[in-house]
Amino acid sequence: MSAAEIAVGLLIVVSGFLSMAAGIGIVRFPDVLTRLHAATKPQVLGLAAVLVAIVVQVPTWGVLTTVVLIMTFQLLTQPMTAHMLGRAAYRSDHVRRDLLIEDELDRDIAAHDQQGSR
């Protein structure tokens, strides 16, 4: 067994653990915002670990460019998706406001509503 095979195995185990942690967080966390955090952070890191394992196993330019494209699109779309889902959940009142430490969006919405009514 070579060092590359051991590295690939460890990266896949790390990825599996991160994906499992994301799944457990989605099930166990109490509200939409914390579930979004659990869904995005470990999932992206788990994907990165699998992609690095793929590059270590098959080190060709074609694979490397594909992996870079996949990771780039994931890093560009995942935060925006989580932000829009969180914003929609907030606006449709699916957020537990008692768990928020500081509700900046409510303050901004109230200020915007006051400016609109003038």
Side-chain angles (χ1 to χ4, degrees):
M1 187 175 286
S2 69
E5 291 172 341
I6 293 172
V8 167
L10 287 174
L11 285 167
I12 290 177
V13 167
V14 166
S15 175
F17 174 76
L18 288 168
S19 296
M20 181 186 67
I24 290 171
I26 289 171
V27 171
R28 298 279 309 194
F29 285 159
D31 71 333
V32 174
L33 300 179
T34 53
R35 288 178 183 163
L36 282 174
H37 179 74
T40 55
K41 303 286 185 202
Q43 199 64 27
V44 169
L45 291 175
L47 176 66
V50 164
L51 293 176
V52 169
I54 291 170
V55 170
V56 169
Q57 186 69 30
V58 185
T60 63
W61 285 108
V63 170
L64 181 63
T65 55
T66 303
V67 163
V68 168
L69 283 173
I70 291 169
M71 200 64 214
T72 300
F73 287 132
Q74 193 64 234
L75 289 173
L76 289 174
T77 59
Q78 193 76 331
M80 187 185 331
T81 303
H83 174 79
M84 298 315 294
L85 285 172
R87 191 174 178 102
Y90 185 89
R91 294 219 179 223
S92 62
D93 215 21
H94 286 87
V95 174
R96 287 189 46 193
R97 297 184 191 272
D98 61 323
L99 295 177
L100 296 176
I101 295 171
E102 186 173 340
D103 193 357
E104 295 175 359
L105 187 56
D106 186 47
R107 184 181 62 225
D108 292 344
I109 290 171
H112 185 280
D113 288 344
Q114 285 178 352
Q115 288 177 352
S117 64
R118 290 185 198 177

